[in-house]
Amino acid sequence: MSGPTPLIIAIDGPAASGKSTVAKRVAAELGCVFVNSGGMYRAFTWWVLQKGIVAEDTPSVLDLLAATDFACGEENGVGTITIGETRMTSSEMASTEVNANVSVIASIPEVRERLVAEQRRYAERNGVVMEGRDIGSVVFPGTPFKFYIDASPEVREQRRRSEGITDSIAKRDRIDSSRKASPLVIPKDALVVDSSDLSADEVVETVMASIRSRLV
Ligand code: DC
């Protein structure tokens, strides 16, 4: 006997578009698990650098990938990732070194395959709000709830500066949008929300209104 279909909300967009803030709040409103898929690519990038491997050395990255166990879980409604014995924390995942290397690691197809399989596992167990670059286009193309949160490059750079984070946003966007494997695209049936001149409340309300209108 199959149960009710779990709710899957896909939220994509470029770096610093505000999608994490929005996805977290939408997940809380719906009682779903929030999963930051970028955090999974960041966690593995941290692990690669920790092992002294250069991100561009693909054969060594692939050897490490084959030897790595990922355990994805959930705590207080938020997805967690453990690599080997190490439970990843946001300070490790948001370091300047990780920011500078994550797009190179995320462009390797085998890395994506492994992490996409983990991402799909979340949805088997729970309702999920997942944010990333390819969630609506590749990870969950069948969900009717797809959103693409955008903002101008100036607004996005300014947001990162005000968080005190050093991040090469323009460079990451370029790599993320031009790579061969699952590039950042607007899924064809996604609702696009430009957050440049909107508050987080307004973006959350726009997304929630769209979801509610289709749930009744
Ligand atoms: O969302 P973020 O900026 O933390 O993501 C970090 C990097 O991970 C981003 O530059 C590209 C990659 N990423 C990806 O390739 N696919 C995803 N679904 C999420 C992130």
Side-chain angles (χ1 to χ4, degrees):
M1 206 169 68
S2 62
T5 312
L7 196 55
I8 297 174
I9 314 286
I11 301 189
D12 291 298
S17 61
K19 61 189 186 306
S20 278
T21 308
V22 171
K24 234 176 261 169
R25 288 181 43 184
V26 168
E29 292 215 20
L30 294 169
C32 291
V33 178
F34 161 68
V35 178
N36 172 355
S37 66
M40 299 166 77
Y41 292 95
R42 287 172 177 277
F44 183 61
T45 301
W46 179 84
W47 190 239
V48 167
L49 299 175
Q50 189 71 7
K51 296 286 178 190
I53 296 171
V54 175
E56 285 78 9
D57 178 2
T58 308
S60 299
V61 172
L62 292 181
D63 284 347
L64 182 65
L65 181 70
T68 298
D69 285 326
F70 296 96
C72 293
E74 175 206 335
E75 197 172 282
N76 300 324
V78 178
T80 59
I81 177 160
T82 302
I83 295 191
E85 300 288 299
T86 310
R87 166 77 173 276
M88 301 301 300
T89 65
S90 45
S91 60
E92 287 150 352
M93 296 197 297
S95 71
T96 304
E97 292 72 29
V98 169
N99 281 337
N101 288 283
V102 63
S103 286
V104 173
I105 296 294
S107 67
I108 302 173
E110 291 87 346
V111 171
R112 305 199 67 79
E113 231 169 80
R114 267 299 279 289
L115 294 185
V116 166
E118 296 292 337
Q119 289 155 15
R120 290 188 177 137
R121 231 164 264 150
Y122 276 110
E124 284 166 16
R125 296 182 304 201
N126 307 294
V128 71
V129 178
M130 192 173 292
E131 56 115 332
R133 302 292 187 292
D134 61 341
I135 308 305
S137 59
V138 171
V139 184
F140 300 120
T143 181
F145 301 107
K146 297 187 181 115
F147 298 90
Y148 186 92
I149 312 293
D150 210 348
S152 69
E154 297 72 30
V155 166
R156 294 188 291 115
E157 293 280 357
Q158 176 52 35
R159 282 179 186 159
R160 275 295 192 266
R161 265 199 304 277
S162 68
E163 291 165 352
I165 292 172
T166 310
D167 194 352
S168 37
I169 284 183
K171 185 172 171 214
R172 281 209 288 138
D173 281 353
R174 206 168 44 249
I175 303 177
D176 295 342
S177 306
S178 62
R179 68 182 177 217
K180 282 209 182 73
S182 311
L184 170 67
V185 291
I186 302 178
K188 70 173 175 348
D189 46 350
L191 175 67
V192 179
V193 183
D194 186 336
S195 74
S196 305
D197 299 316
L198 298 178
S199 67
D201 282 350
E202 289 170 316
V203 181
V204 171
E205 198 30 59
T206 305
V207 170
M208 283 303 301
S210 163
I211 296 170
R212 277 193 216 103
S213 70
R214 287 176 289 157
L215 281 180
V216 283

